[in-house]
């Protein structure tokens, strides 16, 4: 809920409490607008969540947040320059959340550049920009969702552990060459050039979770080779693949996925070949403990669709008799 207030009582409350305030979740529209950055800087604030407001004229030399660790901006109007200056004013910032911000770019500024040596976790949702460059030496968690970007570049020192990309359109994605510490890669509803993407994460020998869900390849001839996945990611324990990848997920080779203990497989449109695909993947996971089947079941089902679903169920029952040690879980939507 967005509250509309006259500014005077809000300012009075902030002035009264700011010396002891540690967390502020501010979702108030006032007349006139209250400059929260000005009113709450130089204090002991550790968490600031700002929504449906505007931020202008940031002066990092004066408006400092020496203790701020978490900053969230939702539906906030701010220029790219002010956002960059705001991060400069937060020397201890660890968590940054940007949700559907209205970011103004100047004519002379084609790239939004953010720089933070302390930042560890960033979540970006519903952002549309030409170029977004993030320089963060300590970044561990990067999550992009519902974004449209021409280019995204991460400059760091190899600290990234978690990469999540959900429903993002980006022509050029660069997370750097030093990805040895990457442990989780979760990609969904995303069009990628697999060779280039794979090249980015291929050095991640510590990768434990790989999720490719609803992924579309830019080139129809591209293939996700399980043999290569097995060799390059020896510590992989959780593997999630959607049936959209059946034609581009090569089952060739013999190298097993020794450490995969959880296998998640799903479909958007089921076919008779799905159970064969599941069987092929099960054979590659000798130490599997849990199989999760995720499916989309339409509300209106034809007789043919019911037959396919029934046939699949029977096939899975027969198949799992060979894998009595494996727990099976079904998740339908």
């Amino acid at each position: 809920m967005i509250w509309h207030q006259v500014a005077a009582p809000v300012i009075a409350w902030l002035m009264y409490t700011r010396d002891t305030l540690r967390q502020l979740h501010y979702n108030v529209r006032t007349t006139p607008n209250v400059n929260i950055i000005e009113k709450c800087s130089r204090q002991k604030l550790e968490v600031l969540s700002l929504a449906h407001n505007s931020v202008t004229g940031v002066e990092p030399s004066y408006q400092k947040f020496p203790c701020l660790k978490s900053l969230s901006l939702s539906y906030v109007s701010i220029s790219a320059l002010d956002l960059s200056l705001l991060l400069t004013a937060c020397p201890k910032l660890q968590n940054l959340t940007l949700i559907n911000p209205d970011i103004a770019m100047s004519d002379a500024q084609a790239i939004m550049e953010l720089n933070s040596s302390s930042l560890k976790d960033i979540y970006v949702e519903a952002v549309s920009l030409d170029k977004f460059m993030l320089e963060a030496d300590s970044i561990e968690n990067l999550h992009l969702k519902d974004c449209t970007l021409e280019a995204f570049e991460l400059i760091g020192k190899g600290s990234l552990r978690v990469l999540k990309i959900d429903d993002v359109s980006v022509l050029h994605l660069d997370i750097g060459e030093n990805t040895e510490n990457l442990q989780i890669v979760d990609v969904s509803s995303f069009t990628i050039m697999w060779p280039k993407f794979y090249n980015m994460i291929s050095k991640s020998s510590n990768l434990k979770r790989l999720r490719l869900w609803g992924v579309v390849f830019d080139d129809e001839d591209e293939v996700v080779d399980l043999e290569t996945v097995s060799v390059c990611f020896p510590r992989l324990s959780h593997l999630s693949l959607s049936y959209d990848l059946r034609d581009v997920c090569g089952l060739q080779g013999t190298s097993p996925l020794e450490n995969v203990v959880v296998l998640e497989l799903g479909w958007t449109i089921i076919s008779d070949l799905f159970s064969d695909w599941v069987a092929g993947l099960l054979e590659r996971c000798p130490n599997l403990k849990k199989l999760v089947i995720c499916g989309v079941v339409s509300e209106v089902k034809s007789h043919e669709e019911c037959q396919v679903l029934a046939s699949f169920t029977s096939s899975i029952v027969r198949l799992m008799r060979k894998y009595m040690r494996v727990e099976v879980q079904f998740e339908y939507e």
Side-chain angles (χ1 to χ4, degrees):
M1 181 180 293
I2 306 169
W3 296 98
H4 295 262
Q5 297 278 353
V6 292
V10 175
I11 294 174
W13 180 84
L14 286 172
M15 299 299 287
Y16 179 75
T17 60
R18 66 178 183 173
D19 290 343
T20 58
L21 200 61
R22 295 294 185 271
Q23 294 191 26
L24 175 61
H25 299 268
Y26 189 86
N27 189 9
V28 180
R29 286 178 177 171
T30 61
T31 306
N33 184 59
V34 175
N35 191 332
I36 294 297
I37 304 302
E38 178 185 355
K39 300 300 180 186
C40 295
S41 60
R42 307 181 309 282
Q43 304 299 324
K44 299 177 182 179
L45 199 64
E46 297 179 2
V47 176
L48 174 59
S49 178
L50 188 62
H52 298 96
N53 271 262
S54 60
V55 175
T56 57
V58 177
E59 297 287 347
S61 59
Y62 175 68
Q63 298 169 341
K64 288 186 177 295
F65 290 85
C67 302
L68 197 70
K69 296 179 180 179
S70 178
L71 174 64
S72 175
L73 303 177
S74 301
Y75 301 91
V76 168
S77 297
I78 187 170
S79 70
L81 177 59
D82 279 330
L83 181 55
S84 178
L85 293 174
L86 183 55
L87 264 62
T88 302
C90 306
K92 294 185 178 179
L93 189 67
Q94 295 183 8
N95 300 288
L96 175 63
T97 298
L98 301 174
I99 298 177
N100 201 13
D102 182 8
I103 299 176
M105 303 290 292
S106 65
D107 294 336
Q109 189 178 23
I111 303 175
M112 186 174 81
E113 300 182 44
L114 302 182
N115 191 321
S116 174
S117 59
S118 60
L119 190 66
K120 292 185 177 181
D121 190 310
I122 182 169
Y123 175 81
V124 181
E125 179 179 341
V127 167
S128 296
L129 292 169
D130 288 340
K131 297 181 180 179
F132 184 173
M133 186 173 76
L134 173 65
E135 187 170 352
D137 292 344
S138 303
I139 194 74
E140 295 181 1
N141 193 333
L142 169 62
H143 190 171
L144 303 176
K145 181 177 181 180
D146 295 336
C147 294
T148 301
L149 307 167
E150 181 179 311
F152 178 88
E153 182 179 2
L154 172 65
I155 301 173
K157 292 186 175 178
S159 58
L160 189 65
R161 294 178 181 274
V162 179
L163 173 64
K164 293 186 178 183
I165 302 174
D166 182 6
D167 198 10
V168 171
S169 173
V170 58
L171 296 179
H172 176 74
L173 176 67
D174 186 358
I175 60 170
E177 296 182 358
N178 190 354
T179 58
E180 284 86 352
N181 290 313
L182 202 57
Q183 296 184 6
I184 298 175
V185 172
D186 187 333
V187 180
S188 58
S189 303
F190 186 48
T191 299
I192 61 175
M193 293 179 64
W194 174 250
K196 189 172 183 179
F197 186 80
Y198 171 75
N199 188 54
M200 276 196 304
I201 66 172
S202 60
K203 297 178 182 178
S204 309
S205 57
N206 291 315
L207 195 70
K208 295 179 179 178
R209 293 172 181 257
L210 176 61
R211 184 172 184 265
L212 301 174
W213 210 265
V215 171
V216 178
F217 288 156
D218 196 50
D219 187 340
E220 293 181 356
D221 295 329
E222 293 175 359
V223 174
V224 178
D225 184 8
L226 280 186
E227 182 76 10
T228 306
V229 169
S230 175
V231 173
C232 291
F233 310 131
R235 298 188 179 182
L236 194 67
S237 62
H238 289 63
L239 177 61
S240 302
L241 300 170
S242 64
Y243 191 49
D244 311 48
L245 292 170
R246 67 191 184 282
D247 295 328
V248 291
C249 183
L251 297 176
Q252 299 86 358
T254 58
S255 297
L257 296 161
E258 290 279 1
N259 290 314
V260 172
V261 292
V262 177
L263 183 61
E264 182 182 14
L265 305 173
W267 74 78
T268 301
I269 300 175
I270 193 171
S271 79
D272 292 329
L273 298 176
F274 182 71
S275 55
D276 295 334
W277 186 63
V278 173
L281 286 163
L282 280 172
E283 290 181 0
R284 301 294 289 273
C285 304
N287 297 308
L288 193 68
K289 294 182 179 179
K290 185 174 182 179
L291 171 65
V292 181
I293 301 292
C294 303
V296 176
V297 181
S298 60
E299 292 183 7
V300 180
K301 292 176 286 296
S302 65
H303 177 71
E304 183 180 356
E305 288 175 320
C306 291
Q307 288 295 104
V308 171
L309 187 58
S311 176
F312 161 72
T313 305
S314 299
S315 298
I316 290 296
V317 170
R318 289 193 299 270
L319 177 63
M320 297 316 296
R321 287 172 183 162
K322 295 172 55 179
Y323 301 95
M324 297 298 291
R325 69 184 186 282
V326 178
E327 175 190 351
V328 183
Q329 179 179 326
F330 293 89
E331 296 181 0
Y332 292 149
E333 60 177 275

